[in-house]
Amino acid sequence: MLERHDLLFKTLGDPTRRAIFERLCREGEQTVAALTTHAGISQPAVSKHLGVLKQAGLVAGRDAGRQTHYSALPGSLAPLNDWTREMETFWERRFDDLEDLLKRMDQ
Amino acid sequence: MLERHDLLFKTLGDPTRRAIFERLCREGEQTVAALTTHAGISQPAVSKHLGVLKQAGLVAGRDAGRQTHYSALPGSLAPLNDWTREMETFWERRFDDLEDLLKRMDQ
DNA sequence: CACACTCATAACTCGCTGGTTATGGATCAT
DNA sequence: ATGATCCATAACCAGCGAGTTATGAGTGTG
């Protein structure tokens, strides 16, 4: 049972891959060749990373003749946001509990 | 140059490790033994994961006699939130640009 | 048609890492 | 003091995954 969060974290866990994704976010649509020149690795490696990103729903490719334009998918990071917020919620709740406890002890 | 974000993503990229962290967030302070019983792996493996989480600044251990109580560090996920927000900012900016473009084309 | 270009896939290598068992140090209980 | 418990470390193993080169399919260009 590989969950959505796990897939996202694992996909973005690789620095090179995250750099590619970040570049797509910053610069918008990019061809594989353009990405390759900045990635510092071979073209097949870039293609593989793009495949992984695509699989994770972070990226989409648009065919245009012999080249493919990739772009980051807006909203694809939402699950990450949700998760982190959920974790922070636990901290706040615990903090509230602590406050309550202190208040009760104060009486 | 391994950045903060990379470390966090990589650390949380492993499902087992993320589960341990999540449990610490949900249930609060836990001993290694308690975590081990729920993790489905050996105690040394759990210890290693806790070491990695600690290294990433996600977790802290409190010595109490022969057992160590671990707890999730509040605020440690902030960099993740910042990063995802930044990426989403790029999308919004691009969307605004598109809107501007359409508006200009409309005239 | 022939050639060049872009990308994806295949096949392979190799280092990392997540798991194991074994062990030892420290702390509590009897 | 002895034994039991809890945890961390060491040493090792196996699988994964990120990189490589080689190649081929598809698409423009002369």
Side-chain angles (χ1 to χ4, degrees):
Chain A
M1 68 151 198
L2 196 68
E3 243 178 288
R4 183 61 180 265
H5 300 131
D6 293 314
L7 187 58
L8 286 179
F9 274 116
K10 214 156 131 192
T11 301
L12 295 172
D14 179 75
T16 308
R17 192 155 50 223
R18 197 175 61 85
I20 292 176
F21 178 73
E22 189 165 340
R23 165 162 269 264
L24 286 177
C25 288
R26 292 182 184 275
E27 316 275 336
E29 218 180 43
Q30 301 267 319
T31 73
V32 177
L35 292 170
T36 300
T37 55
H38 294 87
I41 53 178
S42 68
Q43 172 266 314
V46 173
S47 276
K48 218 193 276 186
H49 280 306
L50 289 170
V52 175
L53 287 167
K54 191 177 182 180
Q55 200 72 18
L58 287 165
V59 141
R62 175 176 67 83
D63 271 24
R66 58 183 162 180
Q67 52 193 5
T68 311
H69 297 264
Y70 281 91
S71 51
L73 285 180
S76 56
L77 292 177
L80 280 193
N81 254 332
D82 295 346
W83 185 79
T84 57
R85 303 233 356 189
E86 194 182 356
M87 296 304 117
E88 285 163 356
T89 300
F90 293 132
W91 297 333
E92 288 163 13
R93 200 186 61 193
R94 187 148 300 116
F95 182 70
D96 291 347
D97 290 352
L98 181 64
E99 265 190 334
D100 289 353
L101 179 66
L102 292 178
K103 226 170 261 171
R104 265 179 284 133
M105 285 174 59
D106 212 32
Q107 296 175 351
Chain B
M1 67 149 202
L2 196 67
E3 246 178 287
R4 182 61 179 262
H5 300 129
D6 293 314
L7 187 58
L8 285 178
F9 274 117
K10 213 156 132 193
T11 301
L12 294 172
D14 178 74
T16 309
R17 192 156 49 222
R18 197 175 62 85
I20 291 176
F21 178 72
E22 189 164 341
R23 165 161 269 264
L24 286 177
C25 288
R26 291 181 184 276
E27 316 276 335
E29 219 180 42
Q30 301 267 320
T31 72
V32 176
L35 291 170
T36 300
T37 55
H38 293 89
I41 52 177
S42 67
Q43 172 265 313
V46 173
S47 275
K48 220 193 277 186
H49 279 306
L50 289 171
V52 176
L53 287 167
K54 191 177 183 180
Q55 199 73 18
L58 287 165
V59 142
R62 175 176 66 85
D63 271 25
R66 59 183 163 180
Q67 53 194 2
T68 310
H69 297 263
Y70 281 91
S71 52
L73 284 179
S76 56
L77 292 177
L80 281 193
N81 253 332
D82 295 346
W83 185 78
T84 56
R85 295 232 172 191
E86 195 183 355
M87 295 305 116
E88 286 165 356
T89 300
F90 293 132
W91 297 333
E92 289 163 14
R93 201 187 59 191
R94 185 147 300 117
F95 182 71
D96 290 348
D97 290 353
L98 181 64
E99 264 192 335
D100 289 354
L101 179 66
L102 292 179
K103 226 170 263 172
R104 265 178 284 133
M105 285 175 58
D106 213 31
Q107 294 175 351

